[in-house]
Amino acid sequence: MTEHSRSAAASPEHAAHVMPPSVLLGTAATLMVLTVLTVATSRIDLGEWNVVLALAIACTKAALVALFFMHLKYENRFQLVVLVSAVVFAALFVSFVMFDTIQYQPDIRAAETQVQPKGS
Amino acid sequence: MSDHASGHGGGSAAAAPEERFLAHHFPTMQAQSDTSKLGIWLFLGSEVLFFSGLFVAYGVYRANHYALFHYAHNFLDWRMGALNTVVLVGSSVSAAWSVRCAQLGQRRGLRISLLITLLLAGMFLVVKYFEYSHKLHNGIAWGAACHPSKEILATLPAALQGVPPPKDLGTFFSIYYLMTGLHGIHVLVGMGLYVWLIRRAGRGDFGPGYYVPVDSVALYWHLVDMIWIFLFPLLYLI
């Protein structure tokens, strides 16, 4: 594992983690397989679970990109904290808005059915 | 990112060649690269939040108009989306490879991998151009301007033939054009950055002692890839 040169004496950037070709190509191959998987599963009707499965596969792919292509796995933990906190806040943003929009669905449906007979 | 050498360290003759890229406000190369890395990660965090607003718009409209989304996705060709996914994953590999080449001081490999990344980014936009022009040519625009042509309606699955298109079809395409358009602008910016890196790599600026720009642009590029990873299933494979 000469790739993992972590000698403190060397110039600072020498201390960085060099990704071996096997890891880069392995990550790429896994991403391709997951792309095929996401297309294949979209053909099967799982109702509401289709989107859950598609997002689960997308999250796995994103995690692979972050860990290996963006070498987050070998990085100072602070970089991980920055990315994870941004993702957590984005998820909070999306989920609270979704709670709200789903909460008012019955009211919207009721209003729509009241309006329609007049319009038609 | 500092192009200029700034007489740091009193012009000591023993300084490593990469020291010419050390900006005067940093004590060491280590401090400079650590600061750049934190800076680029904070920027990527803000990019995630930037795109999250569009994902919220997507989520709300999808929750309220699922039938519309399901209808509209028939106008998107999943093969084009899948092709672009493969193109972007390929460009991410070559971007990661360029960082590896810079770290190992492989100058020829660096120039080749940067060039491959640029070409694949261009290919992504060419595919996107064909998708956009095909849609706009057939009246599939955003908002109230969305009036699908007879020709494109005829390509819908048999079950949807003769069914008039939903009146708010343009809402889906507003979201589609905004999400893919903002992503496309990021690809365009990335291409500009890769042209800049190729010029600098040709000049021999990068090596094991100094590759912060190669690394930072690659991190940005991987984020652009990551966003597409979410856009592809959400828009093309509903």
Side-chain angles (χ1 to χ4, degrees):
Chain A
M1 292 297 252
T2 49
E3 314 273 15
H4 297 248
S5 55
R6 274 204 171 271
S7 70
S11 150
E13 293 196 314
H14 285 130
H17 186 271
V18 181
M19 293 302 289
S22 57
V23 173
L24 292 179
L25 296 176
T27 307
T30 316
L31 288 172
M32 298 296 183
V33 169
L34 288 172
T35 303
V36 172
L37 191 67
T38 195
V39 172
T41 54
S42 77
R43 301 300 180 83
I44 310 164
D45 188 11
L46 302 169
E48 270 305 290
W49 289 99
N50 271 116
V51 70
V52 176
L53 188 61
L55 283 176
I57 296 174
C59 288
T60 311
K61 288 169 78 180
L64 287 174
V65 171
L67 289 175
F68 298 108
F69 285 170
M70 299 170 97
H71 37 88
L72 209 52
K73 193 171 187 280
Y74 313 94
E75 215 56 80
N76 183 339
R77 285 281 166 264
F78 198 74
Q79 260 81 267
L80 190 66
V81 171
V82 171
L83 183 69
V84 168
S85 55
V87 169
V88 165
F89 276 99
L92 278 177
F93 183 27
V94 175
S95 48
F96 274 92
V97 175
M98 291 308 290
F99 286 151
D100 194 63
T101 197
I102 291 164
Q103 180 79 33
Y104 294 107
Q105 283 293 305
D107 295 345
I108 295 168
R109 294 276 173 270
E112 276 175 352
T113 47
Q114 270 176 3
V115 169
Q116 264 169 3
K118 282 184 208 164
S120 57
Chain B
M1 284 158 228
S2 60
D3 251 334
H4 48 85
S6 46
H8 178 80
S12 119
E18 62 268 16
E19 296 269 316
R20 72 186 189 280
F21 296 114
L22 182 59
H24 68 89
H25 51 281
F26 288 114
T28 59
M29 289 301 276
Q30 170 89 62
Q32 177 169 286
S33 63
D34 285 355
T35 309
S36 305
K37 186 149 265 185
L38 179 56
I40 195 77
W41 275 103
L42 286 170
F43 168 69
L44 297 185
S46 76
E47 287 276 277
V48 169
L49 297 175
F50 183 33
F51 273 93
S52 70
L54 289 173
F55 283 99
V56 164
Y58 175 91
V60 170
Y61 274 93
R62 185 193 160 103
N64 288 324
H65 308 281
Y66 179 72
L68 166 67
F69 272 53
H70 195 72
Y71 177 92
H73 102 284
N74 288 304
F75 292 117
L76 297 180
D77 189 346
W78 70 269
R79 284 163 301 188
M80 294 284 224
L83 172 63
N84 260 351
T85 307
V86 172
V87 168
L88 269 197
V89 168
S91 73
S92 254
V93 179
S94 65
W97 208 282
S98 70
V99 175
R100 179 188 147 81
C101 287
Q103 287 169 327
L104 297 175
Q106 299 167 346
R107 295 195 165 171
R108 190 158 170 272
L110 173 64
R111 287 201 303 275
I112 293 171
S113 51
L114 290 174
L115 194 65
I116 291 173
T117 313
L118 177 67
L119 291 176
L120 289 174
M123 194 176 156
F124 178 90
L125 286 184
V126 167
V127 173
K128 210 75 217 139
Y129 167 79
F130 282 116
E131 285 191 82
Y132 279 172
S133 61
H134 174 70
K135 280 188 195 65
L136 293 173
H137 185 72
N138 283 292
I140 298 197
W142 44 87
C146 184
H147 305 292
S149 67
K150 283 196 182 63
E151 293 77 35
I152 201 157
L153 287 175
T155 63
L156 288 177
L160 295 173
Q161 290 298 330
V163 180
K167 64 175 168 29
D168 40 8
L169 185 62
T171 308
F172 173 86
F173 283 101
S174 296
I175 292 173
Y176 166 81
Y177 282 113
L178 270 174
M179 291 183 103
T180 57
L182 187 64
H183 180 264
I185 290 170
H186 278 77
V187 174
L188 212 54
V189 170
M191 287 180 75
L193 292 170
Y194 272 101
V195 168
W196 172 68
L197 286 182
I198 289 166
R199 269 192 57 208
R200 289 195 65 185
R203 219 158 55 195
D205 283 0
F206 306 123
Y210 175 70
Y211 59 88
V212 164
V214 181
D215 199 18
S216 304
V217 173
L219 286 173
Y220 166 82
W221 192 254
H222 296 315
L223 188 92
V224 172
D225 180 23
M226 234 189 227
I227 290 166
W228 183 258
I229 283 173
F230 284 93
L231 291 183
F232 171 56
L234 288 179
L235 293 169
Y236 291 80
L237 303 175
I238 295 174

